[in-house]
Amino acid sequence: MERSLRGARVATYVYFVLCGTLMGAWVVHIPAVEERVGISHATLGGLLVLLGAGAFAGMQVAGPLTDRLGARLVVPAGGVLCGATLVLPGIARDPWTLAGSLLVFGFCNGCLDVSMNAHAVHVEKAYGRPVMSGFHATFSVGGVLAALVAAGATSAGLHPAATLAAVGAVGIVIALASARALMPAASAESTDSTDGTGASGTAEETETHTSPAAARRGTAGRVWLLALLALMVMLCEGAANDWSALHLKDVLGAPAGTAAFAYGTFAAAMTTGRLLADRFVARFGSMAILRHGAATAAVGITLVALGPWMWAAFVGWALFGLGLSGCVPQLFSAAGHADPVAAGANVSRVAGLGYLGMLAGPAVIGWLTHLVALGHAFVLLTLLCVTTALGARVLPTESGSTPRSEMAGVGH
């Protein structure tokens, strides 16, 4: 049992790395594809919305499918489809074919994203302690791998389509090879039914006199609250992705090379925070991580928005990334544990709304710059972080999973 559970955890890590690598491979080739198709930045921005729309649709389809068919089938299928469609943007010849390619690739990526997160919830449940943040940290590792591969391929003079096809083919092999280690649907269901409360430990799940319909309504309401918090947190993350370097360059006058380190500081702090977050969740509980993490992020982005010095901006972006790092994993985990039977569907709601927030973040900040200076526009992110901290009570005070005495011997 312990060996199979460790195998399922390792396989989940593999799929998170795979998802990050496949998406990262596309992201690092955006400039080359844009030049090949011959479109403007504005047109590209509109086409990227289709990528997000496809991902959102894929999430809504894959979530319920994972609940019905099991992660062992849906996760590798998502990985295969995502790997197979990665090459499509690389061979697009005009804006129309690129639009269709991004829509299809986004759909497949959304399927993989939600199904692997739903499986991660079952693995966390079986372990009896928080492990979700570690999974999300490895997604970032996948992005780093993609950047390294792209740099090597570009230096070797390979065409973007050839690189994307090669990465996609390797991804298909990895997705199929890792499938057997995933937890079967029956195991996931039996694991989740071993306790009567699930991970959230809320009154709706423990009150024996509450009707099933009332319990479902309570769970649905709590999941949508989690989704709203995810939207705010991921909006902040999306804004940092696109505006951190520009802030240092345009507002503080940093050279382009120096400005690029703003995003690097944010990303490194977020990855580091996610690698450490599970231990803190186990000790202090998911509510404390969300509350104090969002508060730390609020302090960080306020320092960025109001600080006139470059060093203050770097410190601010580091605090912003560190604070946000543990928030999304806790929201996904709480959604999956809210109703074990509908873990995939609930994760798809939270992930879908959160993904829309990430897409909207850069656009919202861009719109605000027509009214106020870029630095002052970041005050909106401060308000969102404060609101998230205040709304953290929707999470349980204890750790994100219910301990199981028989799993106490499972190590890291």
Side-chain angles (χ1 to χ4, degrees):
M1 176 63 180
E2 289 185 10
R3 179 177 298 179
S4 63
L5 185 54
R6 286 196 185 96
R9 186 182 182 188
V10 170
T12 309
Y13 281 128
V14 170
Y15 282 107
F16 270 80
V17 173
L18 175 62
C19 188
T21 303
L22 294 176
M23 178 56 73
W26 150 245
V27 169
V28 297
H29 282 96
I30 286 178
V33 172
E34 180 187 39
E35 182 179 357
R36 182 174 185 272
V37 177
I39 56 178
S40 65
H41 293 332
T43 302
L44 176 64
L47 293 177
L48 290 177
V49 173
L50 293 176
L51 177 72
F56 180 81
M59 289 175 181
Q60 305 316 303
V61 170
L65 276 180
T66 305
D67 295 331
R68 185 178 307 169
L69 303 177
R72 180 174 282 184
L73 177 62
V74 180
V75 174
V80 169
L81 290 174
C82 196
T85 56
L86 176 62
V87 70
L88 296 181
I91 61 177
R93 297 184 176 274
D94 55 61
W96 291 105
T97 54
L98 181 58
S101 299
L102 292 178
L103 189 65
V104 172
F105 175 65
F107 180 89
C108 297
N109 182 264
C111 290
L112 175 59
D113 196 318
V114 160
S115 59
M116 70 184 188
N117 270 287
H119 182 261
V121 169
H122 292 311
V123 172
E124 182 177 63
K125 184 76 171 179
Y127 261 84
R129 56 181 171 79
V131 295
M132 182 66 81
S133 294
F135 292 138
H136 282 249
T138 56
F139 179 90
S140 302
V141 172
V144 174
L145 289 176
L148 293 174
V149 170
T154 302
S155 301
L158 292 180
H159 191 278
T163 305
L164 293 174
V167 173
V170 173
I172 290 173
V173 173
I174 293 174
L176 293 174
S178 304
R180 292 188 62 184
L182 297 175
M183 297 173 65
S187 295
E189 291 168 5
S190 62
T191 295
D192 286 330
S193 64
T194 53
D195 61 83
T197 62
S200 56
T202 55
E204 291 88 347
E205 295 167 333
T206 57
E207 179 57 59
T208 57
H209 299 293
T210 302
S211 69
R216 283 194 296 270
R217 286 194 298 270
T219 298
R222 188 165 63 257
V223 168
W224 283 115
L225 286 175
L226 293 169
L228 182 60
L229 293 176
L231 184 147
M232 291 188 287
V233 170
M234 295 180 73
L235 189 151
C236 292
E237 185 176 341
N241 290 343
D242 282 28
W243 290 102
S244 52
L246 287 172
H247 170 262
L248 245 72
K249 181 176 178 293
D250 295 345
V251 176
L252 300 180
T258 303
F261 282 103
Y263 173 71
T265 301
F266 168 80
M270 175 167 282
T271 303
T272 301
R274 285 180 172 172
L275 288 172
L276 300 174
D278 287 329
R279 296 178 182 274
F280 287 96
V281 174
R283 181 171 182 180
F284 301 108
S286 55
M287 180 193 295
I289 296 302
L290 181 62
R291 175 173 293 165
H292 295 296
T296 300
V299 172
I301 196 61
T302 302
L303 191 59
V304 171
L306 305 180
W309 308 287
M310 197 176 303
W311 67 264
F314 280 115
V315 171
W317 286 120
L319 289 174
F320 194 52
L322 189 65
L324 292 180
S325 63
C327 295
V328 169
Q330 303 320 308
L331 295 170
F332 280 23
S333 178
H337 289 303
D339 183 359
V341 178
N346 289 336
V347 170
S348 72
R349 295 186 183 104
V350 175
L353 205 57
Y355 197 81
L356 291 180
M358 179 171 284
L359 291 175
V364 170
I365 296 299
W367 179 78
L368 284 176
T369 58
H370 294 293
L371 304 176
V372 297
L374 175 57
H376 295 160
F378 288 154
V379 174
L380 171 65
L381 307 183
T382 300
L383 297 177
L384 293 177
C385 289
V386 170
T387 303
T388 301
L390 294 176
R393 66 179 59 190
V394 72
L395 266 66
T397 55
E398 67 275 7
S399 65
S401 52
T402 304
R404 293 175 60 195
S405 58
E406 62 267 31
M407 301 311 305
V410 179
H412 292 280

